[in-house]
Amino acid sequence: MTVPPGDPAANPPGGSTPADVAPPTELPVDAAVWPEHSAATTDDVPVLSRVGHDRGHLDRDLDDPARGRPVRVLTIDAQRQVPLRETATGPELLWDERVAFPTGGIYLGHADDVAYAVVRGERSLTVSGTPVDGWSGLREVGSDLGDRDAGLLAQAVGIVEWHERNRFSPYTGAATVVEKSGWTQRDPITGQEVFPRTDPAVIMLVHDGGDRCVLGRQAVWPPGRFSILAGFVEPGESAEAAVAREVAEEVGLEVTDVRYVSSQPWPFPQSLMLGFTARAVGTELRVDHDEIEEARWFTRDELRSGHGPAALPPPVSIARHLIDAWLAEDGQTP
């Protein structure tokens, strides 16, 4: 569920961009963000669902959402990458320390009496006098960041994506006016407010009620990588119905015992992944090759031993969280 960064030159003079009315297009996935060897997830919640700050939604209505507090500002570039520094305990986001809320900044919330904001900008070699060790994205470093930084970065990427893709009113096509510290856009003609959008998607581990689960792969993924099935919720459809429909469409299986497990923000560009397990009624796979390239049953032992897929999804994804939880049901992890 990846999409290309928005191209400002491709925006029409009025109305929304094509990305507003079409599902995301899958792009080739770099093997660097889906390595062959990665540790199992260990948290009780998916990585990007961690929160270590207060989003401060009431502060967004204020002229100064920082309330006079110091502000740490994160710069995000056109490739949705941010500055990092390496520490003895892992990477950390590099924040520009400011005494006032930045012009054009989007308020992210606060923690320990410090406000946080994100701005769009260019790469630099230093931030507040500290050398930048590298620029990277949420996919690459999300699983290595602490709770506060992981939550702030997921929020920052999601809200910036919304601004880049929704700069015109869906009512009149007029350029919108940004309000409420970046969390609302207003149609200047009708006065209608436009709020950040989140698209619900389901992602499900389908098992046979015993020791096997179904994994599939898309052609744009690096060779040998398999993951669980996923798809978008359609208008007027429940999440559970979407699970059953998507599994039937992708691999031809009827499922029952659909159970919700957990959710995860996936701001690539604007999805909320709703994680489920489901039990297959039969075992014969009928793969829709318009949806996926290949699908297979794998046993727990194959997934643990490395004799199955070349790589499971990286820890940053809820897919890996669901796989690891299923593998741990009989007391073991990969």
Side-chain angles (χ1 to χ4, degrees):
M1 290 186 176
T2 57
V3 297
D7 179 5
N11 287 333
S16 299
T17 69
D20 294 324
V21 293
T25 300
E26 192 73 29
L27 290 179
V29 176
D30 191 333
V33 301
W34 196 335
E36 288 197 1
H37 304 287
S38 60
T41 56
T42 56
D43 293 336
D44 292 334
V45 297
V47 168
L48 299 187
S49 298
R50 298 173 296 166
V51 178
H53 70 289
D54 185 330
R55 294 169 72 97
H57 66 283
L58 296 179
D59 295 339
R60 299 170 188 172
D61 293 329
L62 304 176
D63 291 336
D64 175 20
R67 296 178 180 265
R69 295 172 291 202
V71 185
R72 290 178 180 166
V73 181
L74 182 68
T75 298
I76 187 168
D77 72 6
Q79 286 72 48
R80 307 295 181 258
Q81 296 191 330
V82 295
L84 299 165
R85 66 176 176 181
E86 297 294 337
T87 73
T89 57
E92 292 181 352
L93 301 181
L94 260 180
W95 300 89
D96 184 12
E97 306 284 347
R98 304 193 189 183
V99 296
F101 197 80
T103 301
I106 303 170
Y107 180 62
L108 299 178
H110 60 89
D112 300 323
D113 208 31
V114 175
Y116 290 86
V118 61
V119 296
R120 288 161 285 183
E122 302 296 327
R123 296 189 180 193
S124 60
L125 297 177
T126 63
V127 174
S128 288
T130 300
V132 176
D133 291 326
W135 287 72
S136 195
L138 183 60
R139 286 179 181 272
E140 293 87 348
V141 299
S143 60
D144 298 321
L145 296 172
D147 288 356
R148 187 201 65 192
D149 278 4
L152 285 164
L153 184 54
Q155 182 184 4
V157 172
I159 192 66
V160 167
E161 285 281 1
W162 176 65
H163 276 279
E164 290 291 332
R165 294 169 180 274
N166 299 271
R167 293 182 289 178
F168 300 91
S169 168
Y171 304 104
T172 66
T176 54
V177 178
V178 177
E179 298 179 346
K180 294 185 178 180
S181 306
W183 287 89
T184 300
Q185 298 183 43
R186 187 177 298 276
D187 184 321
I189 298 175
T190 66
Q192 290 274 6
E193 289 182 302
V194 182
F195 297 98
R197 166 178 155 180
T198 298
D199 296 331
V202 290
I203 184 164
M204 46 277 180
L205 185 141
V206 178
H207 59 87
D208 64 356
D211 198 47
R212 298 190 303 166
C213 72
V214 176
L215 300 183
R217 60 167 282 102
Q218 297 188 18
V220 296
W221 293 351
R225 273 68 165 181
F226 281 76
S227 185
I228 56 180
L229 307 178
F232 286 96
V233 179
E234 294 184 347
E237 182 178 49
S238 71
E240 291 80 2
V243 168
R245 175 182 55 79
E246 286 286 349
V247 174
E249 290 177 356
E250 294 187 355
V251 296
L253 289 175
E254 178 185 351
V255 296
T256 188
D257 196 20
V258 177
R259 297 186 179 185
Y260 172 77
V261 179
S262 58
S263 65
Q264 180 193 54
W266 194 246
F268 305 109
Q270 54 199 21
S271 297
L272 174 65
M273 307 300 295
L274 307 173
F276 291 85
T277 59
R279 178 168 56 85
V281 174
T283 60
E284 180 184 357
L285 301 179
R286 299 187 303 277
V287 177
D288 180 353
H289 293 287
D290 290 335
E291 295 273 352
I292 57 178
E293 181 181 56
E294 180 185 2
R296 291 171 50 193
W297 288 99
F298 291 93
T299 67
R300 283 186 171 97
D301 284 343
E302 285 178 311
L303 299 185
R304 293 193 186 102
S305 66
H307 292 115
L312 294 176
V316 73
S317 67
I318 189 175
R320 182 58 179 272
H321 178 81
L322 293 172
I323 291 171
D324 288 341
W326 179 75
L327 290 175
E329 286 181 0
D330 64 348
Q332 299 183 55
T333 55

